[in-house]
Every structure is written in C-alpha cells, then in structure tokens.
Amino acid sequence: MVRGVLEDGLLAWRGIPYAAPPVGELRFAAPAPVVPWEGVLDASEFGPIAPQPFSYRLIRPPSAVVPSDEDCLTVNVRAPIRDAGDSTLLPVLVFIHGGGYSAGSSRDFSGQGEGFVQSGRIVFVSFNYRLGALGYLDFTAYSSAERSFVSNLGLRDQLALLQWVQDNISGFGGDPDNVTVFGESAGGNAVTTLMATPSARGLFARAIAQSPPPTAVYSQAVTSRWAQDYVDILRDVVGARKTADGDAAADGLALLPPQQLLTEAPVDDLVAASVTLQASIPDAYPGAFCFAPVVDGELLPELPIRAFRDGRAHRVPLIIGTNDREGSIFRGRVDILPRTPERIDALFERAPVSSQQAMRDAYPGLPGLRAGADFGGDYGFWYPSTRVADFHSRYAPVWSYRFDVAPRLLEILGLNATHGIEMFTLFDSTEEPLARIMTSLGGQEAYAAAGERMRAFWLQFAEDGIPAETWPRYEERTRSTLIVDAEDRIESDPRRERRRAWNRFIPSLAG
C-alpha cells in the first residue's frame, strides 16, 4: 500500500520504488525487483534524483539543496479526483525527462504534469532513471567471473518502469492497455530507442518523441573506447583527490583493477569523471554524445534507425517533431553539437565530396555562428527525426510537427524557437521564473496559447491515437507537417532542400 497526498486539487503519489536500490553489488547491474516494505509507504515526497554534475535549475519547488543518491529508481503518479464509484480506467501518459542522459529528474516542472492531469482525462507518470556513467556507459568489457557489468542500464530502468506501470497503474486509475510514452531531448531518444527494443513490445500503445536525437545510439566498438577513456579519467580524479585531501585510501583505490575501481569509487568521483569525459567527446568524436544507448546485441540488437527503416520497430502510432532552431542554445557548458568550424570540417571530411557543395548551399555562411548552430542542430535532431518519420510512416501512423513560437527576448538574443523552448508552455508552466524572463519583453500570450494547443493534441492522441482531425498524417509522398506558430499551419515537406542535402551528405540515413 502507498499513501499519497492531495495537492492543487489533484492526487499525487511520489517517490515510490519501482526497482531495488542500484547500490553496492547492484551498481552497474540490471534493475532488480523492488524490495518489499511493511505497512503503508508514505508517498508524499519525491525520492532523490540520480547523481549528476550540477544542481539542476528546473527543479520545482525551489530548493537550495536537491538530494541526489544512487538509490534513485522511484516513480511518481498524478491523477485527477473522480466521483465515487467511477471505476473507468484513464489513459496513461508516461514522461521520460531529458537532460542529455546526464542531468534532470522527475522533480522538474515537466515531470509533474499538472496541466495534463487537470484536464481530468489522464493519469500522469514520471520517474528517475540512472544517468551519466552509472546509466549510460558500457563497461561490459570489464566483466569477469567475480563481477559482471551490464549494458544499457538507463534503458533497462525505463523498461522496468514501464513494466511497473503494466503491473500497478490500474490501482491509481490508469489503463495499462492505453499507455503513451513521451519524452523530450534525451527523453525523446529514449522513446525512439524503446520503439526499437524488442522487450518493450506491449509496454506502450503510442509514442511521442519531442526533439529526439534518434541516431545517438552507438556500437560497442565505439562505446568500449569511451569506457576505457572514462576509467583512465576516473583514476586521475581519484588520484587528484588523494593529492588534494591527503587521502591515503584514494591512493590505493586509484591502483585497483578497473572492476574494483568502478565498483568501489565514491559516487562523487564517478560524477566528476563523467563531466571530464563528456567535455572531451564533442571534439574527439564530432557529432557524438558519449552518454547514450549502445547496440549490445542483446537488449538492443540493432541501431534504432535501421529498425525503423526495415519495419522492425514497434508499429505504434507516433508523433515526432523538433523546434525551429534546435542548435542555437548549445553554447558554453552544453556545447555538444557539431557547430564549431573544426567539428563541421570533421563531418565534411567523412561526407561524399559530391555532397558538400549542396550542404554549403543549404546553410549559407557555414561555418559561421548562426549557420553552424543550425547545421549542428539539424544534424543532431531535425534531420534524423525526418528519417524516423519517413521510415515509420511506411508501417504505422505518424504525425510530424515543428515548433516555431519564440518569445520576443529569444528572438532578440538570436535563439528563436530553440531546443527545449516548448517545454514550459506545453506543461503550462509559463509562470516559472525562467519562462517569465523569456516572455518579459512580449510574446507571452502567443507562447502560452501554442502550448495549450499542443497539450490538447497530446491529450487527444493519448485517448484515441489521433491528435486532431485537422492535423494530417505524415506520409513520405507529402511529408505534411504541423507548424506550431502564432497561427498553426500545415506545410508540405518543409525545408525540402536541406533534407535533400542531408540525404546526400549522410547516405547511410537516406535509406
């Protein structure tokens, strides 16, 4: 039994374990069954967030200290209050938070979902999963008879959560046969990856991928190198702590074999090493994200983009889309896209010579700041999303969108409708401090209205699998796309010339 709370006119249950704490012998192990508790579990407070490198700024309510812990595998449920005797099961929305698989949590404003639940039409689920090296590096090469390491831990956590929903959500008023999984950014990647994961079959009926990087999934040949780089960095981190703190135990730890080092290192050292690795990857491997799923031949047998192309992805209805200028926000600490001249040159060196002029024509001024940002954002998010839409539409219903609404301040700053901008308005959170700053110079009304329309589409899709009669299905022949703007419109094959340039530039995705 669990005991929730009544909050803002809604029922809320928080911090419910959906798997055993992944600590001790279970660090780097697949999620294990929940440890039973006695009596009634107090589900009034969020569980700790997954260990991550900095305090996440989108937490609500504000807190000076947001606790993090390896024991982070918890789920939250929000449901509308219903009339006594109403036993009708409601559709379920399961939200997977973003954050580059290295940050974020179910405590974020987007993980709480009041705007959706206040409709009275759905039950909303959010959850934490393992991040960074603890969830998204492949250490299987270091497995031994004494200690095994499991791949795709964050993905396995997501599967465990979806199984928990199947087994338990009816007790909260949700229909396990009508589950829509949706996420943004890394959460969108999780959605497209789950659609290509055979063991996810039957765990959800529909999917929504917002600004996903669908091709951020890599072979073991690549991820094993990243794992080795990480172990080397971790030794340096532990050694530096010994030098700084005079910690003799740290000196001994740095000399341990990789298996022991990974299992015995303090979590703060693991996170510190993650930061260093993540900062090095965009230059060493332009266009790559080091914390991402791996094609391990077991849980994930092939690249998701190939599964979509060949019809092996789960044939569920899909909404997929991106924002107008995905790449404009990726600067400073989140400068992970191939948007600098050096990174762009590296991609051009890998592309067919015959494709390069068409690509430069598609992005006038490349590798300048604006053109480089659009090139990098399209490489990571928009173009591969168009390929997922093309491929999946051959086998299942697809709806495509582009979010173009940008408050005036973001236009002045040259960010426009950048990555993640739709989240505040979609989740009816335009009063959040950052959203208020964004709309301080105007545009709040159009921004809020766009989010309200999107939320209506998502709710309708969760209920019956069709977002709106006025939103045509996506087909390769027409590529009809909803442009969410001050006034919505439908465009056929938007940015056609860019798409054609990318088809020649990355022939492996032209499919």
Side-chain angles (χ1 to χ4, degrees):
M1 292 288 292
V2 294
R3 180 176 61 247
V5 293
L6 177 62
E7 184 178 273
D8 299 326
L10 305 173
L11 296 171
W13 297 266
R14 300 190 175 108
I16 305 169
Y18 68 86
V23 300
E25 291 297 316
L26 293 181
R27 177 189 277 186
F28 300 117
V34 171
V35 177
W37 57 83
E38 294 184 3
V40 178
L41 176 72
D42 180 1
S44 60
E45 300 291 337
F46 288 102
I49 68 175
Q52 51 195 272
F54 51 89
S55 60
Y56 206 58
R57 295 182 180 179
L58 300 181
I59 298 295
R60 180 163 58 98
S63 174
V65 177
V66 177
S68 67
D69 197 286
E70 286 187 77
D71 181 6
C72 63
L73 301 185
T74 58
V75 57
N76 320 303
V77 181
R78 296 198 84 153
I81 297 175
R82 306 170 69 190
D83 294 336
D86 185 354
S87 60
T88 304
L89 296 179
L90 295 174
V92 181
L93 280 173
V94 176
F95 180 68
I96 306 177
H97 73 77
Y101 288 136
S102 61
S105 81
S106 64
R107 292 177 63 131
D108 301 349
F109 70 85
S110 57
Q112 301 185 37
E114 300 102 319
F116 286 96
V117 183
Q118 285 167 351
S119 69
R121 297 160 61 184
I122 60 100
V123 172
F124 188 89
V125 174
S126 63
F127 65 104
N128 295 329
Y129 55 94
R130 282 174 280 185
L131 302 173
L134 288 162
Y136 282 94
L137 280 183
D138 178 16
F139 297 115
T140 53
Y142 297 115
S143 293
S144 66
E146 296 75 29
R147 181 68 162 89
S148 63
F149 291 82
V150 177
S151 60
N152 285 313
L153 292 171
L155 178 59
R156 293 177 192 271
D157 292 344
Q158 293 156 11
L159 289 165
L161 177 283
L162 289 170
Q163 187 60 58
W164 182 93
V165 169
Q166 290 296 307
D167 296 340
N168 296 280
I169 203 63
S170 61
F172 299 87
D175 184 354
D177 294 324
N178 191 1
V179 173
T180 297
V181 61
F182 78 122
E184 184 266 347
S185 193
N189 175 277
V191 169
T192 55
T193 303
L194 284 164
M195 291 179 71
T197 303
S199 57
R201 187 174 303 279
L203 296 182
F204 54 92
R206 290 180 262 283
I208 304 172
Q210 298 174 217
S211 299
T215 53
V217 180
Y218 305 101
S219 69
Q220 285 190 308
V222 173
T223 60
S224 63
R225 293 199 297 270
W226 293 344
Q228 183 172 345
D229 291 344
Y230 178 84
V231 169
D232 293 339
I233 293 168
L234 181 58
R235 290 194 194 281
D236 291 341
V237 168
V238 172
R241 181 163 55 81
K242 183 261 182 184
T243 300
D245 302 339
D247 186 343
D251 193 29
L253 183 61
L255 299 175
L256 290 175
Q259 298 96 325
Q260 288 180 268
L261 176 63
L262 289 165
T263 55
E264 297 181 22
V267 69
D268 287 349
D269 289 351
L270 295 175
V271 171
S274 296
V275 173
T276 300
L277 178 69
Q278 189 172 33
S280 71
I281 292 301
D283 291 322
Y285 301 84
F289 304 84
C290 63
F291 299 127
V294 54
V295 177
D296 57 11
E298 177 205 351
L299 187 73
L300 189 60
E302 62 183 327
L303 291 169
I305 198 74
R306 292 180 183 169
F308 281 107
R309 182 194 64 193
D310 297 335
R312 288 187 291 273
H314 304 311
R315 298 184 181 186
V316 300
L318 170 68
I319 293 175
I320 187 167
T322 56
N323 295 351
D324 179 32
R325 297 195 63 225
E326 291 281 356
S328 63
I329 197 67
F330 287 89
R331 308 171 183 175
R333 183 161 51 184
V334 291
D335 184 15
I336 58 176
L337 294 177
R339 60 189 302 275
T340 65
E342 296 77 13
R343 297 174 193 173
I344 292 170
D345 285 346
L347 293 186
F348 267 77
E349 289 174 4
R350 304 201 307 244
V353 173
S354 60
S355 72
Q356 296 181 12
Q357 187 57 51
M359 183 59 72
R360 295 190 184 280
D361 291 343
Y363 297 88
L366 197 68
L369 185 62
R370 184 181 179 94
D374 289 339
F375 174 90
D378 288 355
Y379 174 89
F381 301 101
W382 172 73
Y383 174 64
S385 292
T386 69
R387 304 313 292 144
V388 169
D390 281 344
F391 296 153
H392 197 56
S393 69
R394 300 171 185 174
Y395 309 101
V398 173
W399 289 264
S400 173
Y401 75 90
R402 192 182 77 213
F403 187 86
D404 280 17
V405 181
R408 177 163 170 73
L409 178 59
L410 296 193
E411 293 178 346
I412 293 172
L413 294 174
L415 297 175
N416 305 96
T418 191
H419 186 71
I421 189 62
E422 86 284 11
M423 295 296 284
F424 290 98
T425 185
L426 174 64
F427 283 89
D428 195 22
S429 297
T430 54
E431 293 303 311
E432 294 293 315
L434 183 54
R436 294 185 64 151
I437 292 171
M438 291 191 302
T439 58
S440 60
L441 297 183
Q444 196 277 341
E445 186 175 327
Y447 183 53
E452 185 175 351
R453 295 194 303 275
M454 282 186 75
R455 198 160 52 252
F457 294 144
W458 275 210
L459 285 166
Q460 187 66 34
F461 183 69
E463 286 180 325
D464 62 19
I466 299 175
E469 295 296 336
T470 55
W471 184 354
R473 277 177 56 169
Y474 182 98
E475 298 175 352
E476 282 186 277
R477 180 177 56 84
T478 57
R479 295 189 171 90
S480 297
T481 301
L482 172 69
I483 309 299
V484 181
D485 209 335
E487 292 187 7
D488 295 347
R489 63 187 185 277
I490 302 297
E491 289 190 8
S492 178
D493 200 5
R495 296 176 175 166
R496 178 185 295 106
E497 294 310 311
R498 282 194 190 181
R499 179 182 57 77
R500 289 174 174 171
W502 282 108
N503 282 346
R504 294 190 288 271
F505 196 77
I506 311 179
S508 63
L509 290 187

